[in-house]
Amino acid sequence: MRALRLMSWKSEPVLTEVEVPSPGPGEVLVKIGGAGACHSDLHLMHDFSDDSLGWGPPFTLGHENAGWVHAVGEGVTGLPIGTAVAVYGAWGCGDCSRCQVGVEPYCENPGATPAPGGGGGLGLDGGMAEFMLVRHTRHLIPLPAGLEPVTAAPLTDAGLTPYHAIRRSWPKLAPGSTAVVIGVGGLGHVGVQILKATTAARVIAVDTRTEALEIAEKHGADLMVPAGDGAADRIRAATGGHGADVVLDFVGANPTLALAAAVVRSVGDLTIVGIGGGSLPLSFFSVPYEASIQTTYWGSRSELAEVLDLGARGLVKPEMQTFGLDEAAGVYRTMHEGALQGRAVIVP
Protein backbone atom coordinates (compact mmCIF):
# COMPACT_ATOMS: atom_id res chain seq x y z
CA MET A 1 0.00 0.00 0.00
CA ARG A 2 1.04 3.64 -0.34
CA ALA A 3 1.99 5.61 2.77
CA LEU A 4 3.32 9.11 3.46
CA ARG A 5 6.30 8.56 5.74
CA LEU A 6 8.72 10.73 7.65
CA MET A 7 12.01 8.92 7.10
CA SER A 8 14.27 11.12 9.27
CA TRP A 9 14.19 14.27 11.38
CA LYS A 10 14.73 17.58 9.57
CA SER A 11 13.27 16.23 6.32
CA GLU A 12 10.19 16.33 4.13
CA PRO A 13 7.86 13.29 4.09
CA VAL A 14 7.94 10.90 1.15
CA LEU A 15 5.21 8.81 -0.44
CA THR A 16 6.39 5.22 -0.60
CA GLU A 17 5.18 1.62 -0.73
CA VAL A 18 4.91 -0.45 2.45
CA GLU A 19 3.33 -3.77 3.36
CA VAL A 20 -0.26 -3.80 4.52
CA PRO A 21 -0.05 -4.62 8.26
CA SER A 22 -1.76 -7.70 9.64
CA PRO A 23 -3.57 -7.31 12.99
CA GLY A 24 -2.30 -9.42 15.84
CA PRO A 25 -4.16 -10.35 19.04
CA GLY A 26 -6.27 -7.46 20.26
CA GLU A 27 -5.41 -5.29 17.24
CA VAL A 28 -7.61 -3.80 14.51
CA LEU A 29 -6.79 -2.90 10.92
CA VAL A 30 -8.67 0.23 9.87
CA LYS A 31 -9.29 1.19 6.25
CA ILE A 32 -8.66 4.93 6.30
CA GLY A 33 -11.45 7.23 5.14
CA GLY A 34 -9.72 10.44 6.14
CA ALA A 35 -6.47 11.53 7.80
CA GLY A 36 -6.04 15.12 8.92
CA ALA A 37 -2.90 17.10 8.15
CA CYS A 38 -2.02 18.88 11.39
CA HIS A 39 0.26 21.86 11.90
CA SER A 40 2.10 19.94 14.61
CA ASP A 41 3.36 17.60 11.89
CA LEU A 42 5.42 20.52 10.62
CA HIS A 43 7.18 20.62 13.97
CA LEU A 44 7.97 16.91 13.55
CA MET A 45 9.51 17.61 10.16
CA HIS A 46 11.50 20.70 11.03
CA ASP A 47 12.04 21.17 14.77
CA PHE A 48 13.03 17.89 16.39
CA SER A 49 16.20 15.81 16.49
CA ASP A 50 17.30 12.36 17.59
CA ASP A 51 16.75 12.59 21.35
CA SER A 52 13.97 15.15 21.54
CA LEU A 53 10.95 12.91 22.06
CA GLY A 54 12.12 9.43 22.98
CA TRP A 55 10.98 8.09 19.62
CA GLY A 56 11.63 8.97 16.03
CA PRO A 57 11.40 8.16 12.32
CA PRO A 58 10.73 6.31 10.22
CA PHE A 59 6.95 6.25 10.64
CA THR A 60 3.81 7.02 8.65
CA LEU A 61 2.34 10.44 9.39
CA GLY A 62 -1.29 11.15 10.26
CA HIS A 63 -2.57 11.32 13.86
CA GLU A 64 -6.12 12.53 13.02
CA ASN A 65 -7.80 9.44 11.62
CA ALA A 66 -11.14 7.83 10.92
CA GLY A 67 -12.28 5.01 8.68
CA TRP A 68 -13.84 1.54 8.76
CA VAL A 69 -12.88 -1.69 10.52
CA HIS A 70 -11.26 -3.84 7.83
CA ALA A 71 -9.84 -6.79 9.79
CA VAL A 72 -9.46 -7.74 13.44
CA GLY A 73 -6.99 -9.82 15.39
CA GLU A 74 -7.63 -12.69 17.74
CA GLY A 75 -9.80 -11.82 20.73
CA VAL A 76 -11.36 -8.67 19.27
CA THR A 77 -15.12 -8.48 19.76
CA GLY A 78 -17.77 -5.81 19.36
CA LEU A 79 -16.31 -4.26 16.21
CA PRO A 80 -17.89 -5.90 13.16
CA ILE A 81 -16.12 -5.53 9.83
CA GLY A 82 -17.26 -2.31 8.17
CA THR A 83 -17.94 -0.41 11.41
CA ALA A 84 -17.17 3.29 10.94
CA VAL A 85 -14.74 4.41 13.64
CA ALA A 86 -12.64 7.34 14.80
CA VAL A 87 -9.14 6.64 16.08
CA TYR A 88 -8.31 8.13 19.47
CA GLY A 89 -4.83 9.48 18.90
CA ALA A 90 -3.04 9.43 22.28
CA TRP A 91 -1.79 5.93 23.08
CA GLY A 92 -0.71 5.52 26.70
CA CYS A 93 0.22 2.44 28.68
CA GLY A 94 -3.42 1.51 29.28
CA ASP A 95 -2.83 0.52 32.91
CA CYS A 96 -1.99 3.62 34.96
CA SER A 97 -4.70 5.57 36.77
CA ARG A 98 -4.86 8.23 34.04
CA CYS A 99 -5.18 5.71 31.21
CA GLN A 100 -7.83 3.73 33.07
CA VAL A 101 -10.12 6.76 33.06
CA GLY A 102 -9.37 7.52 29.42
CA VAL A 103 -6.93 10.42 29.85
CA GLU A 104 -4.12 8.80 27.89
CA PRO A 105 -2.31 12.03 26.87
CA TYR A 106 -1.29 12.33 30.52
CA CYS A 107 -0.17 8.70 30.90
CA GLU A 108 1.98 8.36 34.03
CA ASN A 109 3.92 5.33 32.82
CA PRO A 110 5.22 6.44 29.40
CA GLY A 111 8.04 3.93 29.60
CA ALA A 112 5.45 1.19 29.06
CA THR A 113 4.39 2.65 25.71
CA PRO A 114 6.17 2.13 22.37
CA ALA A 115 6.13 5.89 21.67
CA PRO A 116 5.98 7.90 24.92
CA GLY A 117 3.57 10.81 24.56
CA GLY A 118 2.75 9.76 21.00
CA GLY A 119 0.75 7.15 19.16
CA GLY A 120 -0.36 6.44 15.62
CA GLY A 121 1.25 9.09 13.43
CA LEU A 122 3.45 10.23 16.31
CA GLY A 123 6.26 7.70 16.46
CA LEU A 124 4.10 4.79 15.31
CA ASP A 125 2.55 4.37 11.87
CA GLY A 126 -0.43 6.66 11.40
CA GLY A 127 -3.26 7.11 8.94
CA MET A 128 -1.73 8.74 5.86
CA ALA A 129 -1.94 5.40 4.13
CA GLU A 130 -4.63 3.13 2.80
CA PHE A 131 -4.73 1.17 6.05
CA MET A 132 -3.69 1.79 9.66
CA LEU A 133 -2.96 -0.73 12.40
CA VAL A 134 -4.56 0.24 15.72
CA ARG A 135 -2.97 -1.58 18.61
CA HIS A 136 -5.93 -1.75 20.99
CA THR A 137 -9.70 -1.56 20.65
CA ARG A 138 -9.88 1.15 23.34
CA HIS A 139 -8.41 3.52 20.76
CA LEU A 140 -11.46 3.16 18.51
CA ILE A 141 -14.78 4.97 18.96
CA PRO A 142 -17.67 4.00 16.66
CA LEU A 143 -18.99 7.00 14.77
CA PRO A 144 -22.49 8.23 15.57
CA ALA A 145 -25.06 8.05 12.80
CA GLY A 146 -24.72 10.80 10.24
CA LEU A 147 -21.00 11.40 10.69
CA GLU A 148 -18.73 10.22 7.87
CA PRO A 149 -15.06 9.29 8.47
CA VAL A 150 -13.74 12.09 6.26
CA THR A 151 -15.53 14.64 8.45
CA ALA A 152 -14.76 12.86 11.70
CA ALA A 153 -11.00 12.65 11.09
CA PRO A 154 -10.08 16.27 11.97
CA LEU A 155 -12.38 16.18 15.00
CA THR A 156 -10.04 13.65 16.65
CA ASP A 157 -7.49 16.43 17.26
CA ALA A 158 -8.65 19.76 15.83
CA GLY A 159 -11.96 19.16 17.59
CA LEU A 160 -10.83 17.28 20.69
CA THR A 161 -7.96 19.59 21.62
CA PRO A 162 -9.99 22.83 21.80
CA TYR A 163 -12.94 20.95 23.29
CA HIS A 164 -10.83 19.73 26.22
CA ALA A 165 -9.37 23.20 26.76
CA ILE A 166 -12.84 24.75 26.75
CA ARG A 167 -14.60 22.04 28.74
CA ARG A 168 -12.23 22.39 31.70
CA SER A 169 -13.27 26.08 31.89
CA TRP A 170 -17.04 25.57 31.57
CA PRO A 171 -17.73 26.87 35.13
CA LYS A 172 -16.25 30.23 34.08
CA LEU A 173 -18.26 30.46 30.84
CA ALA A 174 -21.70 31.21 32.24
CA PRO A 175 -24.05 33.88 30.82
CA GLY A 176 -22.39 37.27 31.05
CA SER A 177 -18.89 35.84 30.59
CA THR A 178 -16.42 36.49 27.77
CA ALA A 179 -14.03 34.09 26.04
CA VAL A 180 -11.17 35.27 23.83
CA VAL A 181 -9.85 33.00 21.07
CA ILE A 182 -6.39 34.05 19.90
CA GLY A 183 -5.51 32.51 16.54
CA VAL A 184 -8.55 31.48 14.50
CA GLY A 185 -6.77 28.91 12.36
CA GLY A 186 -7.16 25.15 12.13
CA LEU A 187 -7.95 24.68 15.84
CA GLY A 188 -9.11 28.17 16.76
CA HIS A 189 -12.03 28.31 14.34
CA VAL A 190 -13.25 25.00 15.77
CA GLY A 191 -12.82 26.45 19.24
CA VAL A 192 -15.17 29.28 18.31
CA GLN A 193 -17.79 26.74 17.26
CA ILE A 194 -17.38 24.72 20.45
CA LEU A 195 -17.75 27.82 22.60
CA LYS A 196 -20.96 28.78 20.79
CA ALA A 197 -22.34 25.23 20.94
CA THR A 198 -21.58 24.47 24.60
CA THR A 199 -21.46 27.77 26.52
CA ALA A 200 -23.28 31.07 26.88
CA ALA A 201 -20.10 33.14 26.69
CA ARG A 202 -19.59 36.08 24.39
CA VAL A 203 -16.76 35.16 22.01
CA ILE A 204 -14.04 37.54 20.86
CA ALA A 205 -11.80 36.30 18.01
CA VAL A 206 -8.28 37.65 17.44
CA ASP A 207 -6.09 37.04 14.39
CA THR A 208 -3.68 38.81 12.07
CA ARG A 209 -5.55 37.62 8.98
CA THR A 210 -8.74 39.23 7.72
CA GLU A 211 -9.91 35.96 6.15
CA ALA A 212 -9.52 34.12 9.47
CA LEU A 213 -11.62 36.72 11.26
CA GLU A 214 -14.26 36.37 8.56
CA ILE A 215 -14.39 32.62 9.25
CA ALA A 216 -14.70 33.34 12.98
CA GLU A 217 -17.62 35.66 12.29
CA LYS A 218 -19.23 33.03 10.07
CA HIS A 219 -19.12 30.59 12.99
CA GLY A 220 -20.68 32.95 15.48
CA ALA A 221 -17.91 35.03 17.04
CA ASP A 222 -19.41 38.17 18.54
CA LEU A 223 -16.45 40.52 18.05
CA MET A 224 -13.51 40.29 15.64
CA VAL A 225 -10.30 42.04 16.70
CA PRO A 226 -7.25 42.34 14.43
CA ALA A 227 -4.08 41.37 16.28
CA GLY A 228 -1.47 44.03 16.91
CA ASP A 229 -1.39 47.46 18.49
CA GLY A 230 -4.62 48.32 20.22
CA ALA A 231 -5.96 44.74 20.42
CA ALA A 232 -5.70 44.56 24.20
CA ASP A 233 -7.41 47.95 24.60
CA ARG A 234 -10.28 46.89 22.34
CA ILE A 235 -10.81 43.68 24.29
CA ARG A 236 -10.65 45.48 27.62
CA ALA A 237 -13.14 48.05 26.38
CA ALA A 238 -15.49 45.34 25.12
CA THR A 239 -15.47 43.71 28.56
CA GLY A 240 -16.14 46.86 30.51
CA GLY A 241 -12.51 47.07 31.54
CA HIS A 242 -12.60 43.75 33.38
CA GLY A 243 -10.94 41.48 30.83
CA ALA A 244 -11.96 38.02 29.61
CA ASP A 245 -13.02 35.19 31.88
CA VAL A 246 -11.29 32.66 29.62
CA VAL A 247 -8.48 33.26 27.14
CA LEU A 248 -7.48 30.48 24.75
CA ASP A 249 -4.19 30.99 22.93
CA PHE A 250 -4.07 28.71 19.90
CA VAL A 251 -0.74 30.18 18.76
CA GLY A 252 1.53 30.21 21.79
CA ALA A 253 4.06 32.74 20.47
CA ASN A 254 5.52 35.58 22.53
CA PRO A 255 3.16 38.29 21.17
CA THR A 256 0.02 36.18 21.64
CA LEU A 257 0.99 35.15 25.16
CA ALA A 258 1.62 38.78 26.05
CA LEU A 259 -1.82 39.69 24.71
CA ALA A 260 -3.42 36.84 26.63
CA ALA A 261 -1.85 38.00 29.88
CA ALA A 262 -2.95 41.57 29.17
CA VAL A 263 -6.63 40.70 28.72
CA VAL A 264 -7.33 37.83 31.13
CA ARG A 265 -9.59 38.74 34.03
CA SER A 266 -8.80 38.17 37.69
CA VAL A 267 -9.82 34.63 38.66
CA GLY A 268 -9.90 33.87 34.93
CA ASP A 269 -8.31 31.07 32.92
CA LEU A 270 -5.45 31.55 30.45
CA THR A 271 -4.97 28.34 28.52
CA ILE A 272 -2.04 27.86 26.15
CA VAL A 273 -2.96 25.41 23.40
CA GLY A 274 -0.59 26.42 20.59
CA ILE A 275 3.04 25.31 20.55
CA GLY A 276 4.45 28.45 18.96
CA GLY A 277 7.55 28.41 21.15
CA GLY A 278 6.80 31.52 23.17
CA SER A 279 7.13 32.02 26.90
CA LEU A 280 5.17 33.99 29.46
CA PRO A 281 7.13 35.67 32.28
CA LEU A 282 5.37 34.98 35.57
CA SER A 283 5.69 36.99 38.74
CA PHE A 284 3.36 38.17 41.49
CA PHE A 285 2.20 41.20 39.52
CA SER A 286 2.52 39.91 35.93
CA VAL A 287 -1.05 38.58 35.72
CA PRO A 288 -4.26 39.50 37.55
CA TYR A 289 -4.87 37.95 40.95
CA GLU A 290 -5.88 34.28 40.88
CA ALA A 291 -5.67 34.05 37.12
CA SER A 292 -4.87 30.42 36.31
CA ILE A 293 -2.37 29.61 33.57
CA GLN A 294 -2.23 26.15 32.08
CA THR A 295 -1.21 24.16 29.05
CA THR A 296 -3.27 21.32 27.64
CA TYR A 297 -2.54 18.39 25.36
CA TRP A 298 -5.30 16.62 23.42
CA GLY A 299 -8.22 15.33 25.52
CA SER A 300 -9.83 12.19 26.93
CA ARG A 301 -11.57 9.33 25.15
CA SER A 302 -14.94 10.28 26.63
CA GLU A 303 -14.44 13.86 25.46
CA LEU A 304 -13.77 12.60 21.93
CA ALA A 305 -17.10 10.77 22.02
CA GLU A 306 -18.75 14.06 23.00
CA VAL A 307 -17.02 15.92 20.18
CA LEU A 308 -18.15 13.31 17.67
CA ASP A 309 -21.72 13.78 18.91
CA LEU A 310 -21.43 17.53 18.30
CA GLY A 311 -20.10 16.77 14.82
CA ALA A 312 -22.90 14.35 14.01
CA ARG A 313 -25.47 16.97 15.01
CA GLY A 314 -23.86 19.61 12.81
CA LEU A 315 -22.92 21.84 15.75
CA VAL A 316 -19.17 21.58 15.10
CA LYS A 317 -17.86 21.25 11.57
CA PRO A 318 -14.28 22.24 10.70
CA GLU A 319 -13.65 24.23 7.56
CA MET A 320 -12.11 21.49 5.47
CA GLN A 321 -10.43 20.75 2.17
CA THR A 322 -9.80 17.21 0.93
CA PHE A 323 -6.78 15.97 -1.00
CA GLY A 324 -5.53 12.69 -2.38
CA LEU A 325 -2.60 10.83 -0.86
CA ASP A 326 -0.38 11.84 -3.77
CA GLU A 327 -1.05 15.50 -2.87
CA ALA A 328 -0.26 15.15 0.83
CA ALA A 329 3.39 16.24 0.74
CA GLY A 330 2.38 19.37 -1.17
CA VAL A 331 -0.34 20.09 1.39
CA TYR A 332 2.30 20.31 4.11
CA ARG A 333 4.34 22.71 2.01
CA THR A 334 1.25 24.89 1.54
CA MET A 335 0.59 24.73 5.26
CA HIS A 336 4.17 25.73 6.02
CA GLU A 337 3.73 28.79 3.80
CA GLY A 338 0.61 29.79 5.75
CA ALA A 339 -1.56 29.52 2.64
CA LEU A 340 -4.01 26.87 3.84
CA GLN A 341 -7.37 27.83 5.35
CA GLY A 342 -9.05 25.48 7.82
CA ARG A 343 -8.08 21.81 7.92
CA ALA A 344 -6.70 19.62 5.18
CA VAL A 345 -7.90 16.01 5.17
CA ILE A 346 -6.10 13.38 3.13
CA VAL A 347 -8.38 10.77 1.55
CA PRO A 348 -6.32 7.75 0.39
Side-chain angles (χ1 to χ4, degrees), residues 76-96:
V76 173
T77 60
L79 287 171
I81 304 302
T83 301
V85 291
V87 182
Y88 179 64
W91 295 0
C93 72
D95 297 319
C96 72

Side-chain angles (χ1 to χ4, degrees), residues 178 180 182 202 204-206 223 225 230-244 247 259 262-264:
T178 300
V180 171
I182 302 176
R202 185 184 188 204
I204 299 176
V206 182
L223 177 65
V225 175
D233 291 338
R234 285 196 62 186
I235 294 169
R236 283 278 174 185
T239 57
H242 300 298
V247 181
L259 175 63
V263 301
V264 69

Side-chain angles (χ1 to χ4, degrees), residues 29-34 66-71 83 85 129-132 149 348:
L29 186 67
V30 174
K31 179 177 174 59
I32 293 296
W68 303 270
V69 173
H70 185 76
T83 301
V85 291
E130 296 167 59
F131 297 94
M132 176 183 178

